Amino acid sequence: ARRARPTSPRAPHSPLDSPPRPPSPRGPPAPPGPHHAHAEYPLLGRAKRLYILDTTVLMHAPTSLFRFEEHDVLLPMMVLEELDAAKKGLSEVARNVRQVSRFIGEMMQQHGGSDLADGLELREPEGLDLKTGTGRLYFQTTMPETHSSLLRDGSFADNEILSTAFSLREAHPDKDIVLVSKDINLRIKAAILGVQAEDYYNDRALD
């Protein structure tokens, strides 16, 4: 990936640092229908690079939403469902998930009643010095088609996120589509499918 160079050396990644993925809140995928088209977004061409965040990144670092400088960020619908399923409890993961929801809620309130397809301004939360960039936050608004028989088995949540990344890559070939995940197995599956994937390192932009 070609992201802004961090100011300090990377910390080595360990799969043991990855937050556990919550049980999928949904059943098996429905067969593709007439509305399972490529996910199109009116202003997605604003930044050259789009980062798709996996649930594990937000569980690990709630402020990761604001750490991608001038690039855009997209949250798949499955990520929002997994966050909702993991918000209860007193664990650090549950607290992080609730903080992510508060960040998104504040941005939506600032956005007003405008069309969410235009994306949300990634405005720095009050009281945090994050040096927020100029990118926007988008949400998945259409269901992707399952593009490969390799995605028909295994974790439905993983496959749903991979299908979203695959669909966006095909719909926007001029844009760098990068899936960011703390889940090493999800990154491996993404590489097998030809989807660019990176780990998220300690709240710092990737190199």
Side-chain angles (χ1 to χ4, degrees):
R2 299 175 295 282
R3 203 188 294 185
R5 187 174 298 278
T7 56
S8 56
R10 287 182 178 180
H13 169 68
S14 169
L16 297 178
D17 296 333
S18 302
R21 182 179 294 280
S24 173
R26 298 169 61 179
H35 299 293
H36 285 60
H38 293 317
E40 300 283 357
Y41 302 89
L43 300 181
L44 213 52
R46 173 170 298 196
K48 179 170 177 57
R49 193 172 302 158
L50 175 71
Y51 289 99
I52 301 173
L53 301 193
D54 177 35
T55 318
T56 55
V57 174
L58 299 170
M59 288 176 166
H60 169 76
T63 59
S64 59
L65 282 171
F66 308 100
R67 299 284 187 169
F68 291 88
E69 300 180 348
E70 74 274 18
H71 307 297
D72 290 336
V73 173
L74 181 135
L75 298 183
M77 188 60 67
M78 176 53 70
V79 167
L80 296 175
E81 292 197 18
E82 287 193 308
L83 291 175
D84 187 60
K87 66 185 178 183
K88 296 180 181 179
L90 300 177
S91 67
E92 181 181 358
V93 166
R95 288 194 296 269
N96 287 348
V97 165
R98 291 193 293 270
Q99 183 61 69
V100 171
S101 297
R102 284 192 290 269
F103 284 153
I104 296 175
E106 290 171 6
M107 285 187 286
M108 293 183 71
Q109 187 174 18
Q110 294 165 354
H111 188 72
S114 303
D115 189 352
L116 285 178
D118 295 343
L120 300 177
E121 181 183 353
L122 284 167
R123 189 175 301 176
E124 180 178 309
E126 186 176 353
L128 295 180
D129 183 17
L130 300 176
K131 296 180 175 60
T132 308
T134 57
R136 297 183 75 83
L137 173 65
Y138 292 91
F139 302 98
Q140 179 186 351
T141 57
T142 60
M143 290 299 294
E145 179 182 353
T146 299
H147 294 272
S148 170
S149 60
L150 296 175
L151 294 178
R152 297 188 186 280
D153 298 317
S155 168
F156 173 56
D158 281 2
N159 294 351
E160 186 91 340
I161 293 168
L162 284 171
S163 291
T164 298
F166 201 107
S167 180
L168 283 164
R169 191 191 68 174
E170 290 192 341
H172 301 276
D174 58 331
K175 182 183 290 291
D176 292 333
I177 306 293
V178 183
L179 175 62
V180 184
S181 176
K182 296 295 296 178
D183 185 342
I184 189 172
N185 291 322
L186 181 58
R187 299 199 306 271
I188 291 171
K189 289 198 287 186
I192 292 171
L193 294 172
V195 174
Q196 188 176 352
E198 292 288 346
D199 194 358
Y200 183 80
Y201 290 93
N202 299 330
D203 299 345
R204 297 195 303 271
L206 300 176
D207 181 4

